[in-house]
Amino acid sequence: MSRNCLDIGTIQAFLDGETRGDETAAISDHISTCDACAMMLAEADEETSFVMAAVESDVNTLVPTQRLWSRINDAIEEERTKVSFWHRAYAGLTSLMAGPSLATAAVVLVLFGFFAFVFIPGGGLDAPANQIAAVPQQTAAPVNNPTQAVPPIENETPTSSDIAEAQPDAMPPSTTEPRAEPARSIQASYRPERATRPAGGDFRPVNALYVPGEDSYLNTIETLKASYDSQKDRVLSPSSRVAFERDLAVVENSIKQMREVVRKNPNNQAARQVLYSSYQDKIDLLNSVGQKEELLASLQ
Amino acid sequence: MRSFISSSVFSAVLLFAAAVNAQTPQAPPVPRTPHVPPTPRVAPAAPSFPGQTTDTELRVAAERNVNLKFCISEGTLKINGWDRNEVRIFARSGRKFGIRVLERSPESGNATWIWATPTAIEGQTAANRGECLSGETIEMDVPHGATLNFQGRSATTSVDSVHKVSLKIVEGNISLRNITGGISATALQGDLIVSNSSGSVSLDSTTGNVIAYGVKPLETSDLLKVKTNSGSIMLQRVGHRQIEANSITGSLQFEGGFLVGGIYNFKTSNGAIRMLVPENGSCTVSAAYGFGSFNAAIPVETVTENVTPGGKIVVARIGSGELCNVSLTTSSGRILIARLEPKN
């Protein structure tokens, strides 16, 4: 240590940023050439870091430092500058309307606009109504996309009209717009949610999360459903198919109801038990078609 | 001159009439109906089968525990057990068939395994001959100890007093009585009725109802399994300790007492579950239902009751509740436990 070495107070002030500019430059020059002062600076820096790490949480949360106060004040000032457009417009109008001539002119202008809107032929109050009424006629045209034209029965409670619609003989003759074919409505009666999920990736929306074990049921059902789709035309007679679709709709409705309950309360053991039971019913139903085809094939 | 004038006028009239006749459209000629001799009255024709139809009766000596396998395409099938060591098959107005002995007893030489199959007629190959019997009525008499294994397409079937039956019918009702060694029956479109039988019983129907009464196990572990999609299930005086009954849209009814160590599972998706049991029984009932209801018309002690919207589980005891377990599951059906009236 030489006579020109720095004392610990100066070094601490240097670390805290309390020295002036010229002092800071002189201290930096000295430290760069004096090993003892550099060592002392390093030790002081280490001690400061240790202490600050220990009291950091208390300092940051309990004590509003000057920096915090300055940030708060800056934020307040920024909010003041962010006055909304409508406030400014209101303030401008208020100042303008202070003059009576301008206020009168504005009232006359508003009245003129109102009468023009009401009494001008071809416009006014009738026009929007006509436009709105025309919209459903345009959008009611049949959609070619079968996935949109025929909504899945799974999301609806099966009714007698649904069953009648699925039966070709019971279809009333179409008198207005063309409708989806009965056979298509039967085919579209079951659309598993998994099939509608986007391909690729592991995207699963929050409301489609599975309860434990549900995934394996869905996988099995998906496999059997693909098999059923390929077999139903040659295995099931029309009457059998109507009965089958009716049973399937009942089971799917049950699955839908119980799934909603389980989604809301995954700990509802009773609902889960009934849900699994309904899944098993659906598997048995789809499996029965395969069994029938097997039996028919053995009788050929 | 006068005659010339009159003849000229007459000729002119004729020409005018001919011209008018030529202008008038002609009616189409009526086709002549050929003379058809009256159709002779004949008896109603038998069902049309490929090949020759005739009445056929065959007999073969068989062991008491003979196995018989065959297939039936259509007709009414009646199988009865008898005390003779002989198999007799009779087909009325059906295809010719033969009995092939696949295996014989080394001691007696009687058949132990028989296959009834149509015989080939001229011009038929094995491929287009098929393997299924057909006829207006097919009757079989087999030893009481016989085991039957057959399939059918469209057949009304009744089996009585044999040892064991395994059958699958696509269309047609099935009636099984006095089967002593177990039943496995599938009727895809048709009702299934089983009475006074024993052994392990499996009854499966797609659209038909299933009725079982007076059925009991041969061994303690024998299972009674009943399943239908859209039919109803009725179990009456059933002695099995393990019962699984499942209907999807049909209802389910059980009448009888619970047995010691019994495990009963009844499940329906949309139908009702109705249990008629003695009031003095002892069983623990676990009823799980989604949007249905649970009612007990006999004294039960509720052990736990977890009722939440859309899912309820009620565990209740009948008596001490120690002797058996009953599980009732329905999604939107009703569950009712009522008292079985004792019969005098």
Side-chain angles (χ1 to χ4, degrees):
Chain A
M1 181 182 287
S2 66
R3 291 179 184 176
N4 294 329
C5 279
L6 304 171
D7 59 4
I8 187 66
T10 307
I11 289 176
Q12 196 63 50
F14 175 75
L15 282 176
D16 294 341
E18 294 171 353
T19 53
R20 296 192 304 271
D22 53 344
E23 288 178 348
T24 303
I27 291 170
S28 297
D29 291 342
H30 178 76
I31 288 174
S32 63
T33 57
C34 178
D35 292 339
C37 290
M39 184 69 73
M40 200 183 301
L41 177 66
E43 289 175 356
D45 189 26
E46 191 174 354
E47 288 173 0
T48 303
S49 300
F50 178 75
V51 171
M52 288 306 291
V55 300
E56 185 180 13
S57 58
D58 294 336
V59 170
N60 288 343
T61 55
L62 298 178
V63 183
T65 62
Q66 185 61 35
R67 280 181 295 178
L68 178 61
W69 278 118
S70 64
R71 285 172 57 191
I72 292 172
N73 291 331
D74 291 344
I76 292 172
E77 191 63 28
E78 189 177 357
E79 285 296 319
R80 282 178 182 167
T81 58
K82 285 184 179 176
V83 179
S84 68
F85 168 78
W86 295 109
H87 282 89
R88 292 181 191 173
Y90 177 74
L93 276 176
T94 307
S95 61
L96 280 175
M97 291 303 159
S101 58
L102 280 175
T104 306
V107 169
V108 169
L109 191 62
V110 168
L111 286 175
F112 176 76
F114 175 74
F115 283 109
F117 177 76
V118 171
F119 293 108
I120 288 177
L125 293 175
D126 294 339
N130 289 337
Q131 289 168 3
I132 292 170
V135 171
Q137 291 178 359
Q138 292 170 356
T139 57
V143 184
N144 289 331
N145 187 354
T147 59
Q148 294 178 1
V150 185
I153 296 175
E154 185 178 13
N155 296 330
E156 298 172 359
T157 303
T159 61
S160 58
S161 61
D162 293 331
I163 297 166
E165 188 176 352
Q167 190 172 8
D169 295 339
M171 278 283 290
S174 177
T175 54
T176 55
E177 294 176 353
R179 301 183 59 183
E181 296 175 4
R184 183 178 297 174
S185 67
I186 291 173
Q187 291 170 5
S189 62
Y190 169 72
R191 294 188 190 283
E193 284 190 0
R194 292 171 57 81
T196 58
R197 277 187 273 147
D202 194 18
F203 172 74
R204 288 182 179 179
V206 175
N207 61 357
L209 291 174
Y210 302 134
V211 296
E214 190 179 8
D215 208 1
S216 61
Y217 277 111
L218 291 175
N219 286 332
T220 307
I221 287 171
E222 198 167 336
T223 306
L224 289 172
K225 183 66 172 57
S227 174
Y228 163 71
D229 286 338
S230 64
Q231 293 170 340
K232 59 186 177 185
D233 289 333
R234 63 175 181 273
V235 173
L236 296 178
S237 63
S239 60
S240 302
R241 190 141 158 212
V242 169
F244 182 85
E245 294 287 342
R246 182 192 61 216
D247 293 342
L248 198 61
V250 169
V251 173
E252 285 176 348
N253 184 53
S254 173
I255 289 174
K256 176 175 170 281
Q257 286 182 330
M258 300 318 300
R259 192 191 285 160
E260 286 175 1
V261 173
V262 173
R263 293 273 185 274
K264 290 176 185 170
N265 182 10
N267 295 323
N268 191 335
Q269 293 296 327
R272 286 172 64 169
Q273 183 175 335
V274 176
L275 176 64
Y276 293 151
S277 172
S278 300
Y279 275 129
Q280 189 59 51
D281 284 342
K282 188 168 181 176
I283 289 172
D284 290 344
L285 259 179
L286 293 170
N287 203 27
S288 67
V289 179
Q291 288 177 342
K292 185 172 184 179
E293 190 190 33
E294 209 172 285
L295 179 57
L296 287 172
S298 68
L299 293 171
Q300 292 292 326
Chain B
M1 186 65 185
R2 184 177 294 173
S3 63
F4 173 74
I5 292 172
S6 61
S7 62
S8 299
V9 169
F10 182 70
S11 303
V13 169
L14 281 179
L15 285 171
F16 180 75
V20 168
N21 190 31
Q23 296 277 339
T24 307
Q26 295 291 318
V30 179
R32 292 185 177 181
T33 307
H35 176 69
V36 178
T39 307
R41 304 188 69 179
V42 294
S48 60
F49 306 117
Q52 190 177 358
T53 61
T54 181
D55 295 350
T56 309
E57 183 179 30
L58 295 175
R59 294 168 183 261
V60 64
E63 289 290 297
R64 283 188 58 82
N65 59 349
V66 64
N67 282 271
L68 176 61
K69 78 164 186 175
F70 60 94
C71 163
I72 180 169
S73 61
E74 56 185 325
T76 300
L77 176 65
K78 295 177 182 174
I79 302 175
N80 289 296
W82 63 359
D83 284 333
R84 300 182 190 174
N85 288 349
E86 185 182 59
V87 171
R88 167 186 169 270
I89 303 176
F90 171 72
R92 183 189 304 279
S93 302
R95 300 171 61 185
K96 279 190 174 180
F97 65 91
I99 295 178
R100 296 175 61 181
V101 178
L102 301 178
E103 196 173 288
R104 290 183 184 275
S105 167
E107 290 84 17
S108 63
N110 290 341
T112 56
W113 189 7
I114 288 173
W115 182 22
T117 180
T119 54
I121 59 176
E122 193 174 347
Q124 272 189 331
T125 62
N128 61 18
R129 179 177 80 220
E131 295 181 348
C132 295
L133 309 178
S134 62
E136 190 180 320
T137 304
I138 297 174
E139 296 175 4
M140 296 186 184
D141 295 311
V142 298
H144 284 305
T147 297
L148 307 177
N149 187 343
F150 61 96
Q151 298 177 336
R153 180 185 289 275
S154 176
T156 301
T157 306
S158 89
V159 183
D160 191 353
S161 304
V162 299
H163 177 62
K164 194 171 183 178
V165 176
S166 173
L167 77 161
K168 290 181 180 177
I169 301 289
V170 177
E171 289 179 28
N173 299 330
I174 297 174
S175 171
L176 306 172
R177 295 176 58 207
N178 302 315
I179 313 298
T180 56
I183 296 169
S184 171
T186 300
L188 297 184
Q189 296 172 48
D191 294 341
L192 256 168
I193 301 173
V194 178
S195 63
N196 301 324
S197 298
S198 56
S200 184
V201 177
S202 173
L203 308 174
D204 191 348
S205 177
T206 301
T207 58
N209 302 316
V210 181
I211 299 172
Y213 62 95
V215 181
K216 59 186 178 184
L218 272 183
E219 299 175 359
T220 309
S221 60
D222 280 345
L223 176 70
L224 171 61
K225 191 173 182 180
V226 183
K227 190 162 76 71
T228 177
N229 288 350
S230 54
S232 295
I233 295 174
M234 175 149 183
L235 307 176
Q236 196 172 21
R237 292 194 294 115
V238 172
H240 287 74
R241 283 181 166 78
Q242 293 186 61
I243 300 176
E244 287 182 13
N246 183 13
S247 177
I248 293 176
T249 56
S251 61
L252 202 155
Q253 177 158 329
F254 175 86
E255 289 184 32
F258 293 129
L259 301 176
V260 178
I263 302 172
Y264 306 96
N265 288 300
F266 300 104
K267 204 170 67 167
T268 176
S269 181
N270 201 38
I273 299 177
R274 183 180 167 91
M275 310 282 296
L276 297 177
V277 295
E279 198 172 353
N280 56 0
S282 174
C283 216
T284 299
V285 178
S286 172
Y289 52 103
F291 295 93
S293 62
F294 174 74
N295 293 301
I298 61 173
V300 296
E301 178 191 355
T302 302
V303 180
T304 60
E305 188 172 11
N306 182 10
V307 177
T308 55
K312 296 104 180 171
I313 290 183
V314 178
V315 179
R317 285 193 194 121
I318 301 172
S320 63
E322 297 172 345
L323 301 185
C324 69
N325 287 296
V326 178
S327 173
L328 309 173
T329 305
T330 180
S331 174
S332 54
R334 293 182 299 110
I335 298 174
L336 172 66
I337 299 178
R339 188 162 67 101
L340 177 65
E341 298 291 342
K343 292 181 179 177
N344 296 326

